[in-house]
Amino acid sequence: MKYKKLTAILLATVMTASMLTGCGGSAPKTEEGGSKETASSEEEGSKDIIDFTMFIAMPGAEINDGNEIQELIAQKTGVRVKETWLTGQSAAEAVGTIIAGGEYPDFIDGGDGQMALYDAGALVPWDDYLEKHPKLKEMYSDEEWDRFRQEDGKIYWANIFQNTYGEDKSTTHNDEAFWIQNKVLAWDNYPEIETLDQYFDLLERYVAANPTMEDGTEVIPYTALCEDWRYFCIENAGQFLAGYPNDGSVIVNTDTMKIEDYNTSETTQRYLKKLNEEYQKGIVDKEFATQTYDEYIAKLSTGRVLGMCDQWWDFYATVNDVFKQQGLDVKGCNYVPLGLTIDEGMENMWHTYGDTQNLANGIAVTTSCEDPDAAFQFLEDCLDQEIHDLRFWGIEGVDYLVDEDGLYYRTEEMRMQWANKEYQASHRCVYSYMPQYMGTSRDGKNAMNPDQQTSEFFSSLAEPLVDCFDAYGVTTYVEMIGSVNKETGPWYPMYSYSSNMTTETPGGVAWTKMGEVKHEWLPKVVMSDNFDSTWSEYMTAYEGCKPEDFLAEMQTELERRVSLAE
């Protein structure tokens, strides 16, 4: 279906929407009390639309003015949100600039700068509003909401990711892994790859036999990302390779209930030494230490890169769409996750089952918002099933169809269209940092997100990926990574505490210095001509940060979280 064929359908849909009342029984919004200019349709019965602003401290793509689904959502809810994204700064720098200016967008997710917003008094408490908005409050239990409370006892934000409604329908591993193109596994008849050594051995053998792509482009066996906060792509694999889950900043030894530092562990040293060896062999990308995120994504999108360690959410949305548009998916370029450990026979916990509540940041309403009632109503409306479907499925008859059993599905033409960047800018409006669910739709049949709709998931897989899953006897990315299904403790994840540490405490000072030292030294360690001596220099610099102060504060927080759960 070409874009011009959508006009009649969209016009009819928007005309109908303009006569509807607000979602969830809410009254139409009016200009009175609104923080921004309103845009009223001239049609009789239409609603006044409030234009809110939002800043997200993450890189992202802005949509076009007049985006079709955004306008449809605006007609139904009375709110349109102009999103702006992080460009050219760190999250802390961008938030610091906003605070210094004294004027805030209506909505904000400050990322690593979230606590600075709280300290500046820039955020509106949620407590009274939660009682007025049952769908919003339903996102978490009372106990879970209490975890978001700050020192003054109030709630100022909610993280909207990793939240399941109804039945868990996970098909993708949305977290970190060592990824590898499925064509590499197919070339070696789908071997069992359990360890880091086996992973790099396969990459070495493959590139020796296949140094270029079909068009003669030289392949890159392995790359990594070190830019800004994304240096986690090289930094934190040690915790996973040792069999631990993603507590992010530390290991929690469940036998002793003690905090341990994975940065100095034997496993981490072995991992970095392996990267060093592969760098010297030319397997690790020579540009890994200096490439930007945009350059990294562009490189992955060519299909040249055979493997990397990264979070799924950090690359898939762009890279998988490009693969589909360029036909690279049918050539086996899609990435699959491997749950590697440092030695054979170990359990891995790269994938944790169930929801993960990240308390460190999330969507917030600021004190510059002149109509917080309308702002919180919109957060509520985002969870209305009709609006949720528009955000993630699109428009029925245009972006998906419904079969006789009420199940949503897409044609291949619709999938190609949904993956097209031009179409996304003009038509799709996900509002990706607004409240949302994974899991099962309120109709009890469909998935909240197409990626988790079983039939849609399988229909969207390219044949080489289907062959790969079949060869390993799995049906999802979750099964592919093969993580043990262990319940995480009430402390998990510890990064939700460390992410908000400030330099007002000795532990926070140490944490800041540790990050600076790791960011500087890890690439040096990987690229060194003498690993042992450079590792020793790195450890000297690291010990100078007084990591013991940080670990002590983390131990105190671990004990606090455990005691609260008892």
Side-chain angles (χ1 to χ4, degrees):
M1 184 182 295
K2 302 300 183 185
Y3 307 149
K4 62 184 181 181
K5 295 182 181 179
L6 301 179
T7 305
I9 298 173
L10 291 169
L11 181 59
T13 307
V14 173
M15 290 280 287
T16 301
S18 70
M19 297 182 287
L20 297 178
T21 59
C23 297
S26 60
K29 313 291 191 303
T30 64
E31 185 173 1
E32 184 178 355
S35 63
K36 305 295 169 191
E37 294 181 1
T38 59
S40 301
S41 169
E42 296 181 359
E43 279 192 60
E44 184 178 353
S46 68
K47 25 162 105 253
D48 292 332
I49 295 172
I50 300 174
D51 281 299
F52 283 130
T53 56
M54 180 177 183
F55 173 71
I56 303 118
M58 285 281 288
E62 293 190 19
I63 60 176
N64 296 347
D65 291 340
N67 175 282
E68 292 157 340
I69 289 181
Q70 185 180 51
E71 291 305 308
L72 186 53
I73 291 173
Q75 289 293 336
K76 289 177 178 290
T77 66
V79 168
R80 183 190 298 112
V81 180
K82 175 65 174 177
E83 298 173 320
T84 56
W85 301 81
L86 187 67
T87 55
Q89 292 178 297
S90 69
E93 289 169 343
V95 169
T97 300
I98 293 172
I99 291 172
E103 294 219 6
Y104 304 96
D106 299 292
F107 297 105
I108 194 166
D109 186 322
D112 290 344
Q114 195 84 2
M115 281 305 296
L117 292 164
Y118 168 72
D119 291 338
L123 307 180
V124 175
W126 286 43
D127 302 70
D128 292 341
Y129 294 97
L130 283 176
E131 298 306 318
K132 300 175 185 177
H133 300 293
K135 285 192 179 76
L136 194 59
K137 187 176 182 182
E138 185 185 23
M139 283 186 12
Y140 293 106
S141 67
D142 289 343
E143 179 184 351
E144 289 170 329
W145 277 116
D146 284 343
R147 294 173 190 162
F148 283 110
R149 296 191 184 280
Q150 301 305 308
E151 287 185 359
D152 65 0
K154 296 180 180 179
I155 298 165
Y156 289 89
W157 61 78
N159 194 294
I160 51 78
F161 299 110
Q162 297 284 310
N163 206 345
T164 300
Y165 187 92
E167 179 187 354
D168 183 1
K169 289 181 170 287
S170 298
T171 54
T172 57
H173 170 66
N174 196 43
D175 302 305
E176 194 161 353
F178 279 92
W179 301 87
I180 193 166
Q181 289 186 343
N182 63 73
K183 69 181 180 185
V184 180
L185 296 171
W187 173 82
D188 201 35
N189 297 313
Y190 305 105
E192 290 295 328
I193 303 295
E194 298 180 18
T195 69
L196 191 66
D197 288 340
Q198 292 168 352
Y199 176 80
F200 277 109
D201 175 69
L202 175 57
L203 291 180
E204 287 182 36
R205 289 186 289 112
Y206 179 88
V207 75
N210 304 274
T212 65
M213 298 175 67
E214 291 179 359
D215 62 1
T217 302
E218 185 177 355
V219 302
I220 299 171
Y222 185 89
T223 195
L225 188 59
C226 295
E227 185 188 30
D228 197 28
W229 57 272
R230 284 188 173 89
Y231 82 100
F232 70 78
C233 295
I234 191 175
E235 183 263 351
N236 67 357
Q239 64 183 328
F240 296 111
L241 291 168
Y244 289 94
N246 189 21
D247 271 300
S249 50
V250 292
I251 283 173
V252 177
N253 186 322
T254 54
D255 292 330
T256 63
M257 290 310 299
K258 296 296 183 183
I259 291 291
E260 296 180 1
D261 188 353
Y262 63 77
N263 295 288
T264 58
S265 70
E266 178 187 0
T267 297
T268 293
Q269 185 176 6
R270 288 174 61 187
Y271 152 66
L272 291 170
K273 188 168 188 175
K274 186 64 180 178
L275 287 188
N276 175 267
E277 292 171 357
E278 298 301 327
Y279 181 83
Q280 302 304 330
K281 294 177 183 177
I283 298 301
V284 174
D285 183 7
K286 295 296 184 184
E287 298 174 344
F288 85 92
T290 56
Q291 65 186 344
T292 66
Y293 175 71
D294 288 343
E295 290 168 342
Y296 168 81
I297 290 297
K299 196 175 289 184
L300 295 186
S301 298
T302 64
R304 296 175 62 201
V305 178
L306 305 181
M308 70 286 183
C309 183
D310 199 354
Q311 296 269 353
W312 169 258
W313 51 258
D314 199 33
F315 69 88
Y316 89 97
T318 299
V319 173
N320 281 15
D321 284 349
V322 172
F323 282 174
K324 193 168 190 65
Q325 290 289 317
Q326 296 184 356
L328 291 170
D329 56 343
V330 298
K331 294 182 179 180
C333 289
N334 283 122
Y335 295 103
V336 295
L338 299 177
L340 304 183
T341 53
I342 198 67
D343 293 313
E344 288 188 79
M346 297 172 61
E347 293 180 338
N348 87 75
M349 292 189 70
W350 289 86
H351 185 86
T352 50
Y353 300 81
D355 297 344
T356 298
Q357 190 180 4
N358 179 8
L359 310 176
N361 51 57
I363 178 70
V365 177
T366 76
T367 52
S368 290
C369 179
E370 296 178 13
D371 193 346
D373 288 317
F376 279 98
Q377 181 61 55
F378 183 70
L379 295 180
E380 168 103 336
D381 289 345
C382 282
L383 294 172
D384 181 89
Q385 193 62 58
E386 182 183 13
I387 301 303
H388 204 281
D389 283 352
L390 280 170
R391 292 166 63 195
F392 295 99
W393 280 95
I395 296 173
E396 182 181 347
V398 176
D399 302 303
Y400 71 97
L401 302 171
V402 184
D403 70 14
E404 58 186 11
D405 296 320
L407 291 174
Y408 298 175
Y409 70 98
R410 285 177 172 152
T411 65
E412 182 58 24
E413 189 176 18
M414 288 174 172
R415 293 185 199 106
M416 290 292 290
Q417 181 172 266
W418 194 253
N420 183 279
K421 296 302 179 186
E422 180 184 344
Y423 187 76
Q424 291 172 10
S426 65
H427 181 77
R428 285 174 57 177
C429 179
V430 177
Y431 283 142
S432 56
Y433 277 73
M434 288 291 181
Q436 60 188 263
Y437 280 121
M438 305 183 298
T440 313
S441 171
R442 294 175 190 273
D443 64 12
K445 297 178 181 179
N446 291 289
M448 288 286 192
N449 194 300
D451 289 344
Q452 297 189 331
Q453 188 89 325
T454 303
S455 59
E456 184 58 29
F457 174 71
F458 283 115
S459 297
S460 65
L461 297 181
E463 187 175 350
L465 197 50
V466 173
D467 292 341
C468 181
F469 282 1
D470 286 345
Y472 287 103
V474 302
T475 58
T476 66
Y477 289 93
V478 175
E479 293 176 3
M480 184 71 194
I481 200 167
S483 295
V484 62
N485 192 345
K486 281 185 180 178
E487 185 175 349
T488 52
W491 59 84
Y492 183 83
M494 291 301 295
Y495 66 72
S496 66
Y497 182 78
S498 56
S499 293
N500 279 337
M501 295 181 82
T502 70
T503 53
E504 294 180 1
T505 68
V509 171
W511 175 237
T512 299
K513 291 181 178 178
M514 288 158 59
E516 292 170 351
V517 165
K518 287 188 288 184
H519 201 184
E520 175 187 356
W521 277 91
L522 289 175
K524 292 181 180 179
V525 167
V526 172
M527 296 185 293
S528 173
D529 292 331
N530 188 325
F531 175 85
D532 291 336
S533 65
T534 307
W535 172 264
S536 180
E537 292 175 33
Y538 165 43
M539 285 293 97
T540 298
Y542 185 78
E543 289 163 7
C545 300
K546 300 188 72 174
E548 63 272 15
D549 290 344
F550 166 70
L551 298 172
E553 281 192 30
M554 295 300 285
Q555 182 68 38
T556 299
E557 176 62 13
L558 171 64
E559 292 167 1
R560 186 189 73 85
R561 293 186 179 192
V562 171
S563 66
L564 285 176
E566 291 176 347

